[in-house]
Amino acid sequence: MTWLWLHFMFLGFNMKQSFSCGLKSERDQEGYRVMKEDYKNLGSMKFAEASVLIIFVLLVVLWFTREPGFIDGWATVLFNKDGKYVSDGTVAILVSMLFFVIPSELPRCGGYGYDQEGRKVKAPQTLLTWKVVNKRMPWNVILLLGGGFALAAGSEKSGLSGWLGQRLAPLQQIPPFAISLLLSMLVATFTECSSNVATTTLFLPILASMATAIKMHPLYVMLPCTIAASLAFMLPVATPPNAIVFSFGKLKVIDMVKAGFGLNLIGILTTNLGINTWGYAMFDMGNFPQWANVTLRP
């Protein structure tokens, strides 16, 4: 459905062009030749490119092996049993520091500052310098993400999340599928102005308190709303990839809104369709679970 929507937005209803069975126009062939020529001009992988690839692989491996769940991860083995002082953010900062240490070129025979004859030579720069970071880093996006985290943490610590959950108790008069649909739309709208993680951190405690208050299965609203928090397609500030694409100056905000509105709608409808079919049976949504019954807790 997403593919059909984007096809309609940018190519219209001309499906013959997409299913031409390998037939290419002169424009397509010219584009292929240009891309092939540019690819050849790239040459072999340079030392800096290989270093970035290795660092990225290292980041992914450390993330996956930190706390796999089915076995003890390196965080629990090397540091402490609960590993609370080592998070995904710790790994990200550690790996990011490597960019400021690893050189962008292979070390010269005579060292970084001198060649074999003792003459001074310009030392190779590291993969990343603070000058580049200070110039290219979207600090406004970073502040927006940090503000979202602070807002979510403050709402939970102060009890605002629980209070809002109690205020949503009148939703009990609405059919469950309508509650899930409305809340998914609310979360999808909110996540356009905040990060995905901050949105879920803010809303999930509220949704859990609301579901408990009206005796509804918490997962019935928490699952679709969690997925809806990832439907950030309409605004540049919704998620860092949007900001990166928008920063090139080739798109207008209205262009992203037009395409993103359809994607958000498709995501909300398909998610709620799944939670009301196979999801309803898989998680036994028709019964209020014992683990969510606060009256049974000590």
Side-chain angles (χ1 to χ4, degrees):
M1 293 177 66
T2 298
W3 180 85
L4 289 174
W5 171 252
L6 294 178
H7 192 286
F8 165 73
M9 284 289 301
F10 299 103
L11 299 177
F13 290 102
N14 186 12
M15 294 295 179
K16 184 178 179 180
Q17 181 179 355
S18 300
F19 299 99
S20 56
C21 298
L23 299 178
K24 298 181 179 180
S25 63
E26 294 183 0
R27 184 179 177 183
D28 294 334
Q29 294 176 0
E30 180 64 24
Y32 175 76
R33 285 194 294 268
V34 171
M35 288 188 291
K36 190 174 182 179
E37 182 179 354
D38 290 342
Y39 179 75
K40 289 182 179 179
N41 293 335
L42 290 176
S44 59
M45 183 177 290
K46 300 178 178 61
F47 176 79
E49 297 168 342
S51 300
V52 173
L53 177 61
I54 294 173
I55 292 175
F56 174 73
V57 173
L58 176 64
L59 172 67
V60 175
V61 171
L62 290 177
W63 269 344
F64 273 98
T65 58
R66 180 181 66 86
E67 193 175 359
F70 56 92
I71 59 174
D72 290 337
W74 57 265
T76 56
V77 173
L78 297 179
F79 294 95
N80 49 32
K81 293 183 179 180
D82 54 3
K84 63 180 181 180
Y85 296 109
V86 181
S87 62
D88 289 340
T90 309
V91 176
I93 294 297
L94 173 63
V95 174
S96 299
M97 292 174 60
L98 297 179
F99 285 96
F100 295 92
V101 177
I102 298 177
S104 59
E105 300 176 4
L106 282 172
R108 296 181 176 89
C109 297
Y112 292 115
Y114 300 90
D115 59 12
Q116 290 180 336
E117 298 179 0
R119 294 176 299 185
K120 289 185 177 181
V121 294
K122 184 178 180 180
Q125 290 186 340
T126 55
L127 293 172
L128 193 63
T129 61
W130 179 249
K131 183 178 180 181
V132 175
V133 174
N134 192 33
K135 182 179 179 181
R136 299 294 182 88
M137 178 69 72
W139 296 107
N140 55 338
V141 177
I142 299 298
L143 293 175
L144 178 64
L145 296 178
F149 289 129
L151 176 63
S155 299
E156 186 175 2
K157 293 290 185 181
S158 64
L160 176 62
S161 298
W163 181 83
L164 289 175
Q166 295 295 329
R167 300 286 78 78
L168 293 175
L171 290 176
Q172 190 174 10
Q173 308 300 326
I174 304 176
F177 74 91
I179 296 177
S180 176
L181 190 63
L182 290 174
L183 291 177
S184 297
M185 291 182 178
L186 175 64
V187 172
T189 303
F190 191 86
T191 195
E192 298 294 345
C193 303
S194 181
S195 68
N196 306 349
V197 178
T199 301
T200 53
T201 305
L202 173 63
F203 274 94
L204 288 188
I206 299 175
L207 298 179
S209 301
M210 180 213 68
T212 303
I214 64 177
K215 299 300 180 181
M216 177 190 294
H217 199 301
L219 295 182
Y220 189 77
V221 291
M222 295 175 71
L223 281 178
C225 289
T226 300
I227 299 176
S230 298
L231 305 178
F233 303 118
M234 295 176 60
L235 297 178
V237 297
T239 185
N242 289 14
I244 293 173
V245 175
F246 186 77
S247 64
F248 283 93
K250 303 296 183 180
L251 288 174
K252 298 180 180 178
V253 175
I254 189 64
D255 297 328
M256 299 185 68
V257 171
K258 288 180 179 179
F261 179 79
L263 296 179
N264 282 6
L265 189 61
I266 291 171
I268 292 172
L269 293 178
T270 52
T271 300
N272 281 271
L273 177 63
I275 204 65
N276 284 284
T277 52
W278 58 266
Y280 199 91
M282 176 179 292
F283 298 104
D284 192 20
M285 297 295 188
N287 299 317
F288 188 73
Q290 294 295 327
W291 51 265
N293 193 347
V294 294
T295 59
L296 298 179
R297 296 177 185 174

